[in-house]
Amino acid sequence: MNRKVFEKFPHLCVLVARVYNRLSLRNKINIGKANTLNTGFTLFKKVKIHVIGKGNQITIEDFAVLHNCSIYIHGDNNKIAIGKRCSLRETEFYVEDSNNVISLGAHTSIHGKTHLAAIEGTKILIGDDCMFSSNVHFSTGDSHSIVNLDNKRINPSQDIKIGNHVWVGTKVTCLKNTEIADNCIVAATATVCGKHLTPNCIIGGVPAKILKTDINWLRQRI
């Protein structure tokens, strides 16, 4: 995906990318007439998109690359937004019910099997320049009901919010009502729930807690 060519012929590049993504036999795209798929100069490789419902919007910005990813939406008025220069591998977006949002900020990368599930009108908001390892699971709900002895439900779905420049290690599970501040690391195999609002921390364990403060991280080894 050549930036210089894009800068010279932006509209043509977007058109070519859209045609390629639609016609490639490696991709399977079914969104229906009542939904919208807005893509910039992006590349799909073995991508599956299946949307049931109406008023759903999928937006993928320039220079994003999706490899062996799937997007499944069943409901109305849901939104999925993938920012500029995101690189996603084996990522599954799962949206059920209506008015949900899953958003990934610019330059965010996901490097292996990751499941992002939003249900019952909730949000998964992931900031800019985040890095996910593999076998990561995010879910805003429990999928089934927990009730008290009066048969009233006590487990509503809740949002997940991840700040900018957060590194999520392998086999992390992130549960509903989680919030993580900027410049944090979530250690491998952690189970995270609740609000971790102190930036520049390592968070780990089951359940996760702050293990170390006053840190930051770089993508490159120095």
Side-chain angles (χ1 to χ4, degrees), residues 1 6 8 20 25 37 42 46 72 76 79 87 91 95 144 154 162-163 179 198 205 212 216 220:
M1 300 176 71
F6 175 76
K8 192 172 183 179
Y20 171 82
L25 296 178
L37 172 61
T42 63
K46 297 182 180 179
Y72 174 82
D76 301 330
K79 294 182 180 180
S87 177
T91 304
V95 175
H144 306 286
I154 59 173
I162 307 298
E179 185 170 352
T198 303
K212 189 175 181 61
N216 210 330
Q220 67 271 31

Side-chain angles (χ1 to χ4, degrees), residues 15-50:
L15 177 60
V16 170
R18 287 177 176 174
V19 171
Y20 171 82
N21 291 335
R22 285 281 191 169
L23 297 182
S24 173
L25 296 178
R26 297 186 300 174
N27 301 322
K28 297 181 179 180
I29 300 174
N30 179 19
I31 64 168
K33 294 181 179 180
N35 306 291
T36 57
L37 172 61
N38 298 313
T39 58
F41 187 41
T42 63
L43 183 62
F44 292 172
K45 300 178 181 179
K46 297 182 180 179
V47 169
K48 298 178 182 179
I49 301 176
H50 187 69

Side-chain angles (χ1 to χ4, degrees), residues 32 38 56 58 63 75 94 119 127 138 148 157 166-167 177 183 213:
N38 298 313
N56 299 292
I58 302 169
F63 296 98
Y94 182 89
I119 63 174
F138 278 35
N148 62 20
S157 298
V166 173
W167 174 7
N177 193 35
N183 303 315
T213 59

Side-chain angles (χ1 to χ4, degrees), residues 136-177:
V136 174
H137 185 98
F138 278 35
S139 180
T140 63
D142 303 322
S143 297
H144 306 286
S145 297
I146 299 174
V147 298
N148 62 20
L149 295 183
D150 294 322
N151 209 37
K152 293 182 179 179
R153 187 178 170 193
I154 59 173
N155 68 328
S157 298
Q158 295 175 278
D159 298 343
I160 294 173
K161 184 177 180 181
I162 307 298
N164 298 314
H165 193 62
V166 173
W167 174 7
V168 178
T170 187
K171 297 181 181 178
V172 165
T173 298
C174 192
L175 304 176
K176 62 185 183 181
N177 193 35

Side-chain angles (χ1 to χ4, degrees), residues 82-95:
I82 298 171
K84 290 182 179 180
R85 294 191 174 277
C86 283
S87 177
L88 311 181
R89 180 177 292 272
E90 295 184 273
T91 304
E92 180 182 43
F93 296 82
Y94 182 89
V95 175

